[in-house]
Each structure stands twice: as C-alpha cells, then as structure tokens.
Amino acid sequence: MVKGNRVALIGTGFVGSSYAFGLLNQGVADELIMIDLNEEKAKGDVLDLNHGKVFAQQSLNISFGTYEDCKDVDLVVICAGANQKPGETRLQLVEKNLKIFHSIVTQVVDSGFDGIFLVATNPVDVLTYAVWKYSGFPKERVIGSGTILDTARFRFLLGEYFQVAPQNVHGYIIGEHGDSELPVYSSVDVGGVAVLDMIKKHPEYTQEDLDDIFVNVRDAAYQIINSKGATYYGIAMGLVRITKAILHNENSILTVSTLMEGEYGEDDVYIGVPAIINRNGVREVIELNLSEKEKEQFARSADVLREILKPHF
C-alpha cells in the first residue's frame, strides 16, 4: 500500500478522466484509485495515464479499484452520474442522480472510509447535500465543487475586460451552481481597487458591461454543452485545486458548496460560498458583506435549492 495522500475517483467519464489527468500533471497526490461501473473504461484510463508518467513532474501511483478500496483513502471524489443534455438544466438531473448517489455513498461508507467526500456531479449543491445525508458524515467532510468554476470564469472575463491577469481580480460568484447564482459585485476588486469605484471614475467601464459579463458566466456551461456536448477541463482543474487545498492543508479560501447553519441567514442547504479549506475539509465559511440586493438574490437561490430537496429529504 502506498503511503501519503491517497485519492479514490468514482466516475471516469469526461470530468473524472480530466481530473485524473490534472492530478497527474500537478503532482498533488501520491496515489489515485480509479473506480467506474464501466470497468473496461476505467482500466483503459489507468493504462493511458500510466504511460504518461514518464513525462510527469512527480510520480503518481494510478490503479483500477473497487468501492472496497476506499477504506484507506483520504479523499473520495465523485464525478459519476448522468450527464447534462443540451437544453437540460442542472436541476432536471436530480432524479436520475439521487438514485445513483445513494448506491455509491452506501458502498463507500460500508468500505470503512473515514475521509472527505468531494462532489462534482450536477446538480452539485443538491447532490452534495444528499452525500451528507446518506453518509452521516459531519458537514465539514462533505464538500461540493459549488461555484468554484463560476468564480474562475468570472475572474477570467473580468480580467479580459480590465486587461489584467485574472489572478489579480478578486471576486466571487455565490449561490446555486446554476441559474440562480449571483455575482458579488459589492466586493469585487482589481488589484485592491473596488470595481464599483472603477466604473464611477472611468467612463469606458459600465455597469451594463459588468451585467453582460455575469450573464456570460452564468450561461457558459450551456454555450459549451451546445458546442461540444459537455464541460470538463475547467471543472476538473477546479477539483484539482480543491484537492490540493485539502491534502496540503492550505487553509485556502475557495468558493465551494457547504452546509449553511445560520451563515448568510440560511439553514439546511448546501450552497456555494467562500470557505476556508484545509486537511479537515471546510474550516469555516467566509461571510461577505452583501448589499441588500445581493442578500435577496442569495436567499432566493437558497430557496430554489431547498424546493428541490424538499420532496427527497
């Protein structure tokens, strides 16, 4: 058995295999176990990835496995489930994927697994809540990818607009990973300068442009799905980023889906917010100082998710 940071990946489709490729390239973990209902696909991915190890910066032990192998891993990443079809919203996927997830989580927990769950499958906020319920794990150890990709898209587009590197744009998309999400423009800054101040001082920048940027962020998945059938590179890199924050005990702030227990005035819902992530999972939620409009939008987003959860839990 390899010692060190061990990850089990469940679901080796577009997102799962892209995540495995990112993990190999970035040298984040020591071992990766790949699990899929389609065993031949998973075994093929293991072979293919292992052939690239010669070119990787750091060795990653990659193997095919089953749910029993989750017993001693630190992190279980779930990318399994039905895909979003063109014209289908993330929330319409819920019925199909809840059934799949009940089976997966039961088998993982039965293996003796006692680490952290990281969920990527859509609708991610709903399914992360489901993993929390099905597993009986503390909320800190069940994390969804949330709005990490929406936030990355947001920073990228704002960087293009202001012609600065996206790493120097600080801002968040929060709420449901989906149609009711919202941009927190009240706290966006570029190199420490508030974006709302920038549009007041510079006539070439407008609120209308910022509104358009958000629409492009919100609808990006639909555009990509219509073009190539699925989105996977961006979210896979987001998952690698969360994995690194967990396994390397970073205490990094990332926008993930986590359980609300009074934060932002919400309860009993998993939803995307900035949170401090470390080896124990979610250390704490960062509560942004939202404007009145943003508070209303966030409350509406939480209501959307609770309505979907209501018939099932």
Side-chain angles (χ1 to χ4, degrees):
M1 184 181 81
V2 173
K3 298 253 169 126
N5 291 319
R6 309 181 75 220
V7 178
L9 166 66
I10 300 171
T12 63
F14 285 132
V15 174
S17 55
S18 298
Y19 168 73
F21 183 66
L23 215 55
L24 173 61
N25 276 293
Q26 293 192 36
V28 170
D30 300 301
E31 180 173 8
L32 174 65
I33 300 166
M34 300 183 75
I35 302 165
D36 198 285
L37 206 58
N38 182 345
E39 293 190 3
E40 286 308 308
K41 164 72 167 77
K43 287 173 179 174
D45 276 327
V46 168
L47 274 174
D48 200 3
L49 289 163
N50 273 323
H51 295 162
K53 276 164 73 170
V54 173
F55 312 113
Q57 291 182 359
Q58 191 175 319
S59 180
L60 173 66
N61 189 62
I62 307 167
S63 61
F64 168 78
T66 62
Y67 290 112
E68 288 79 20
D69 297 310
C70 294
K71 182 178 187 297
D72 296 312
V73 303
D74 304 293
L75 180 68
V76 165
V77 180
I78 308 180
C79 297
N83 290 326
Q84 190 176 359
K85 292 178 178 159
E88 184 178 41
T89 69
R90 294 181 183 100
L91 298 177
Q92 285 168 332
L93 287 170
V94 69
E95 289 290 342
K96 290 184 271 190
N97 282 333
L98 279 174
K99 287 176 188 159
I100 295 167
F101 266 55
H102 188 270
S103 169
I104 289 171
V105 174
T106 302
Q107 291 178 83
V108 171
V109 173
D110 286 350
S111 77
F113 171 66
D114 193 33
I116 293 170
F117 278 105
L118 174 57
V119 182
T121 312
N122 282 317
V124 70
D125 304 289
V126 173
L127 293 175
T128 309
Y129 184 94
V131 171
W132 174 60
K133 284 289 191 183
Y134 297 154
S135 67
F137 277 28
K139 70 181 194 300
E140 295 83 7
R141 293 203 279 126
V142 180
I143 305 169
S145 54
T147 50
I148 192 164
L149 178 55
D150 312 86
T151 294
R153 288 168 173 156
F154 189 46
R155 292 173 67 192
F156 167 73
L157 290 173
L158 286 170
E160 278 203 326
Y161 182 62
F162 292 110
Q163 294 187 298
V164 297
Q167 292 90 339
N168 298 122
V169 177
H170 302 284
Y172 301 108
I173 300 287
I174 64 171
E176 172 212 350
H177 174 52
D179 299 337
S180 70
E181 67 187 30
L182 61 133
V184 188
Y185 272 123
S186 63
S187 67
V188 175
D189 74 77
V190 177
V193 180
V195 159
L196 296 182
D197 287 342
M198 288 175 77
I199 62 171
K200 284 177 193 164
K201 290 175 185 171
H202 301 279
E204 68 269 31
Y205 304 134
T206 67
Q207 183 62 53
E208 290 73 26
D209 287 345
L210 295 185
D211 293 340
D212 287 344
I213 284 170
F214 168 63
V215 170
N216 283 330
V217 168
R218 187 192 63 204
D219 297 343
Y222 298 123
Q223 293 167 20
I224 296 167
I225 288 165
N226 286 334
S227 295
K228 67 173 204 167
T231 78
Y232 37 93
Y233 297 133
I235 187 58
M237 290 183 74
L239 290 170
V240 173
R241 181 68 194 90
I242 298 168
T243 300
K244 183 168 176 279
I246 293 168
L247 297 180
H248 296 192
N249 198 32
E250 283 186 354
N251 289 299
S252 288
I253 298 173
L254 302 169
T255 43
V256 296
S257 188
T258 188
L259 185 71
M260 296 293 96
E261 290 185 316
E263 299 92 348
Y264 294 96
E266 300 298 336
D267 277 294
D268 199 36
V269 66
Y270 262 78
I271 194 165
V273 290
I276 301 172
I277 307 296
N278 64 19
R279 187 77 192 201
N280 298 315
V282 174
R283 195 188 89 193
E284 66 181 274
V285 169
I286 301 293
E287 286 200 69
L288 301 169
N289 189 12
L290 304 182
S291 69
E292 287 308 312
K293 182 188 174 190
E294 289 162 354
K295 284 177 187 170
E296 287 169 19
Q297 289 175 302
F298 188 78
R300 195 156 56 240
S301 192
D303 286 342
V304 164
L305 291 167
R306 269 192 295 261
E307 280 302 307
I308 290 146
L309 289 165
K310 202 181 285 180
H312 306 288
F313 297 99

